[in-house]
Amino acid sequence: MSGKGGLEGVVVADISSSLVDGENGRLIYAGYEIEDLAANSTFEEVCHLLWYGRLPKADELELLRSRIAHDAKLPDEIIAMMKALPKQAEPMAVLRTVVSALAHYDPDAEILGNKAVAMHKAIRLTGQITTACAAWDRIRKGHEPIAPRQDLALSANFVYMLSGEEPKKETVDAVDVYMILLAEHGMNASTFTARVVTGTGSDFHSAIVGAIGALKGPAHGGANAEAMRQFVEIGEVENVEPWFTKNIKNGERRIMGIGHRIYKALDPRAQILRDKAKAMAEASGNMKWFLIADNLAQLARADQYFIERKLYPNVDYYSAIVLYTIGLDIDMFTPLFAMSRIAGWSANVIEQMGGRLIRPDANYVGPMGLKWVPINER
Ligand code: COA
């Protein structure tokens, strides 16, 4: 096999929704710098940008917001199915099951190859995934799920559906910034998976189910939860240095939330989330988790091993602190990633529709020339 494998450096598609400039630490959604969008936009506005290629006018934004809110309600049968699942089921596995099952209740599920119809499915699934995440968090804790409100934007609806209480502005703002930052990211592993499934001519829900499966892994979306578990394991600010020496310096473990296939400079989303995490920690009066993360990142930045390999915090590193500070359970972090990335997956699925089958080649390294022998002679 040539190179290090992992399709590194291989261009597999033309993509118009985002550009990841790893050398310069830049991320652009359909022409707009991520810093600009994070400071000024909303998640629905970013959905419009990714799906239609331009920012919406006021009436278009309200139409999209209300359609997502309207379609976010889950069929009663899906709620009943979720209640029948084991309470200890892993939330990403539940989400995978729910999205697969939702296809059976989508009126257009088997209409294939039609981009306008696919856009309706994107709108429906964007709301439904958010509702499913909040519903599962309640169901597994023995509470009734709460239906989405028609008057709220998606991030506010998520916060509302977790508790049923009027959502706090600071919490909604934190979730919305997170949702904007995670919405799209070039040919990442889950987006590639969604494109591969779409390339076979298969249906929209199958592509998203595949993407959820890819996102679940700790080398991809699962890293936010693993990053937080590592901060909890460190436990106190004074433990950071001995923990680094014991676990990382000997090369036994990786720092979760550090390193990236494309970014060889600081991930711009990590910088925005670091600022957000710091501000939230200061506002809450509890600096511990932010300081543990930040001190560990500083140790890594000063370490020759990390410098030589250009390993910097990625989006999952500080987002873990943001999501923990708003009170989310750690195993809900990756579902939140999916809640946002459905926007980018949808844009990529629609762009891929009608494209050529994605079917790479492989280098055979197995034996040759063997002759079959009867089973009792082996
Ligand atoms: N901690 C310590 N060392 C790391 C590291 C980390 N988080 N990430 C990469 N490295 C090292 C590897 O050991 C390797 O060293 P080597 O050249 O001596 O073998 C080198 O950096 C390159 O790593 P590699 O695994 O080949 O890079 P990749 O592009 O295949 O993987 C990640 C990228 C993201 C999977 C990898 O950096 C990682 O596992 N990070 C932690 C998980 C994470 O945060 N994932 C979320 C990504 S957004």
Side-chain angles (χ1 to χ4, degrees):
M1 188 169 57
S2 61
K4 288 173 77 182
L7 296 181
E8 185 167 357
V10 177
V11 174
V12 296
D14 290 338
I15 181 169
S16 54
S17 43
S18 64
L19 168 68
V20 185
D21 177 356
E23 286 304 321
N24 298 303
R26 283 173 77 203
L27 171 59
I28 291 162
Y29 288 178
Y32 296 86
E33 299 281 348
I34 194 65
E35 289 84 356
D36 197 9
L37 294 171
N40 299 304
S41 198
T42 64
F43 179 66
E44 276 86 346
E45 202 172 48
V46 164
C47 287
H48 194 286
L49 175 65
L50 295 174
W51 296 344
Y52 301 101
R54 62 174 176 81
L55 290 173
K57 296 185 188 342
D59 57 336
E60 292 169 328
L61 178 59
E62 173 50 21
L63 182 64
L64 184 60
R65 184 211 64 74
S66 64
R67 282 187 68 189
I68 292 175
H70 178 266
D71 291 348
K73 191 171 180 309
L74 296 176
D76 293 343
E77 294 85 347
I78 294 288
I79 297 285
M81 183 200 78
M82 292 174 80
K83 286 180 177 171
L85 295 172
K87 298 280 178 286
Q88 71 279 9
E90 209 284 323
M92 279 297 278
V94 171
L95 190 61
R96 189 189 59 213
T97 301
V98 167
V99 172
S100 185
L102 276 167
H104 305 304
Y105 302 92
D106 189 302
D108 306 325
E110 293 301 332
I111 298 180
L112 308 177
N114 181 320
K115 293 194 179 193
V117 171
M119 194 67 84
H120 295 312
K121 295 183 215 181
I123 290 171
R124 282 198 280 276
L125 264 184
T126 297
Q128 287 169 330
I129 284 179
T130 291
T131 306
C133 289
W136 178 247
D137 197 47
R138 288 185 66 81
I139 289 169
R140 67 179 180 162
K141 291 171 179 164
H143 305 308
E144 268 303 306
I146 295 168
R149 269 170 45 183
Q150 301 303 299
D151 59 318
L152 295 178
L154 203 61
S155 299
N157 237 339
F158 174 67
V159 177
Y160 163 72
M161 287 188 285
L162 282 178
S163 69
E165 289 163 17
E166 196 58 30
K168 287 201 191 98
K169 184 176 180 315
E170 313 80 71
T171 310
V172 172
D173 287 351
V175 172
D176 211 48
V177 166
Y178 175 85
M179 295 278 281
I180 291 168
L181 293 176
L182 275 287
E184 164 65 357
H185 207 241
M187 199 50 59
N188 62 88
S190 56
T191 295
F192 180 55
T193 306
R195 279 192 178 249
V196 169
V197 175
T198 304
T200 70
S202 189
D203 64 287
F204 195 93
H205 287 76
S206 292
I208 304 305
V209 169
I212 290 172
L215 187 71
K216 185 170 178 284
H220 190 9
N224 54 11
E226 293 304 325
M228 195 63 228
R229 290 190 183 107
Q230 120 204 303
F231 301 142
V232 170
E233 181 190 323
I234 293 170
E236 297 295 339
V237 180
E238 59 266 28
N239 295 342
V240 170
E241 199 158 352
W243 186 90
F244 181 77
T245 307
K246 177 165 179 268
N247 296 289
I248 306 299
K249 284 298 279 178
N250 63 10
E252 261 181 30
R253 287 169 67 176
R254 291 184 172 201
I255 303 182
M256 298 310 287
I258 284 191
H260 199 276
R261 174 63 65 82
I262 306 291
Y263 288 119
K264 301 304 167 200
L266 186 64
D267 179 338
R269 303 165 301 171
Q271 183 59 51
I272 298 167
L273 285 162
R274 180 187 179 274
D275 294 346
K276 190 88 195 155
K278 184 163 184 256
M280 289 172 77
E282 282 163 358
S284 73
N286 178 5
M287 296 297 290
K288 177 166 122 172
W289 302 112
F290 172 76
L291 286 177
I292 288 176
D294 214 43
N295 290 2
L296 181 61
Q298 278 169 28
L299 281 181
R301 281 190 89 157
D303 190 275
Q304 204 51 33
Y305 176 93
F306 287 82
I307 294 168
E308 273 167 16
R309 290 167 180 75
K310 300 185 177 170
L311 300 169
Y312 295 87
N314 59 51
V315 69
D316 294 316
Y317 196 78
Y318 289 105
S319 72
I321 305 296
V322 169
L323 299 181
Y324 201 64
T325 306
I326 65 172
L328 265 194
D329 290 348
I330 294 175
D331 62 359
M332 289 301 295
F333 291 8
T334 314
L336 230 74
F337 194 155
M339 246 168 70
S340 162
R341 187 55 62 83
I342 178 68
W345 290 335
S346 300
N348 278 274
V349 165
I350 292 168
E351 190 163 55
Q352 186 65 41
M353 283 169 66
R356 198 162 177 231
L357 174 76
I358 300 172
R359 204 297 188 192
D361 216 337
N363 182 32
Y364 178 67
V365 294
M368 295 286 286
L370 302 180
K371 292 275 178 263
W372 184 85
V373 275
I375 197 160
N376 55 355
E377 291 173 23
R378 289 175 210 162

